[in-house]
Amino acid sequence: MAEIMILGCGFGTALGIMWDKYGHNVTAWSKYKEEIDAIRKDGEHKRLLPGVIVPPSIALTTDLSLASGKDILVFAIPSKFVREVAQSVKPYVTENTVVVNVGKGFEESTEKRLSEVLKEELPNNPIVVLTGPSHAEEVARNFPTTVVCASDDKASTEYIQDTLQNNRFRIYANSDMIGCEIGGAMKNAIALCCGIIEGMGLGDNTLAAIMTRGLAEITRLGVAMGGKRETFNGLSGIGDLIVTCTSTHSRNHRAGLLIGDGMSAEDAVARVGTVEGYNVAVIAQRIARRLDVSTPIIDQLCGVCYDGQNPRESISRLMTRPSRAEEEIF
Ligand SMILES: NC(=O)c1ccc[n+]([C@@H]2O[C@H](COP(=O)([O-])OP(=O)(O)OC[C@H]3O[C@@H](n4cnc5c(N)ncnc54)[C@H](O)[C@@H]3O)[C@@H](O)[C@H]2O)c1
């Protein structure tokens, strides 16, 4: 059984509950004392996982020095704060600790993948990405879930697969770390689009169009960034896209519903909280322009999110683009 420290008490709490149940020793950290105190007092994370008991066997802390000597250190932190938390925990991280990132997105100022950020801050530790269709609400309730882990270091990938999977949380290994991370980051933008479409009162045809052409766009950009095309047909690609675009659990989807119903993107994000799709859209657009990759859906999403463009105008623009052959992905 492993000694696991999880940084971040949102999705991190769900993972902690699941790994504690399967016999691991779990410590969960939050920067916010009030978050830790509330979980302790209520015995649950009322805001994020109401009704799911957080067992007393999980150690809750605001003390990063407890990271010292752990087998596995999990980052479950919104993409914006990953570097800051890595810098804060760095003095306490033991060399052999395997660092696992479950966050999805890119660092805005550098456009780097989160594993690249972690590698820069924790250069002496193996970094593994754990990603795929895994809503916190369902992981915490032990619903059967499949995810993928990937790393540049095969031994660490296998260690995480063997150690962290169980009969309700199945982990596949993948050697394409870049592709796995890009799928996880980009699907949030497409899920935001799907929410907007539903909020506008449009239907299944339009949703299917955005998901399918969104996947083509993710694949195009992902391959240009160094990912393997087949990865986007797996759990971290189409798998995560399906779960995020079709579920009411997704905050990207919830924010999209509000935008589609007429609220400004800024207000919708302020109301819903962490909306990684809003952050990632503008970064993906910058990367796409730099690599000369066509991303029409992301471009329209950026128009809606950052330039006050009416979503109806965006749909018209997408529907009246020059004709193309479907197999012409690149
Ligand atoms: N929620 C899910 O179901 C889910 C599933 C898979 C992956 N993820 C990814 O995991 C990451 C975290 O998502 P979440 O839903 O847990 O987000 P969240 O907004 O609930 O935040 C998670 C935790 O991060 C910490 N945090 C927040 N702001 C911080 C700051 N400024 N500095 C340090 N710590 C801070 C807090 O402890 C908070 O509880 C995201 O990248 C998300 O895409 C989430």
Side-chain angles (χ1 to χ4, degrees), residues 198-265:
E198 278 189 52
M200 290 164 71
L202 297 173
D204 297 342
N205 295 356
T206 319
L207 288 174
I210 288 290
M211 283 187 237
T212 311
R213 296 311 303 169
L215 183 64
E217 213 160 288
I218 293 172
T219 306
R220 206 155 50 224
L221 186 59
V223 169
M225 290 173 75
K228 291 186 191 151
R229 189 173 173 166
E230 54 273 26
T231 302
F232 300 96
N233 291 329
L235 290 166
S236 63
I238 196 167
D240 214 355
L241 188 72
I242 292 171
V243 84
T244 317
C245 290
T246 60
S247 166
T248 47
H249 293 313
S250 160
R251 276 177 260 178
N252 295 286
H253 191 266
R254 285 214 300 274
L257 286 176
L258 296 172
I259 298 168
D261 196 33
M263 189 181 277
S264 77

Side-chain angles (χ1 to χ4, degrees), residues 8-11 30-32 35 48 76-78 81 84-85 102-104 134-136 251 274 276:
C9 284
F11 183 42
S30 171
K31 180 179 173 178
Y32 303 107
E35 186 172 37
L48 296 172
I77 298 286
F81 312 116
E84 175 193 318
V85 173
V102 299
K104 293 171 182 173
S134 49
H135 285 312
R251 276 177 260 178
T274 300
E276 293 282 23

Side-chain angles (χ1 to χ4, degrees), residues 126-129 149-154 156-157 174-177:
I127 313 287
V128 180
V129 167
C149 69
S151 149
D152 293 337
D153 174 32
K154 192 163 179 270
S156 300
T157 306
N174 190 317
S175 58
D176 178 18
M177 193 182 194

Side-chain angles (χ1 to χ4, degrees), residues 263-284:
M263 189 181 277
S264 77
E266 214 174 313
D267 289 349
V269 170
R271 169 148 348 155
V272 172
T274 300
V275 180
E276 293 282 23
Y278 178 79
N279 303 325
V280 86
V282 70
I283 308 171

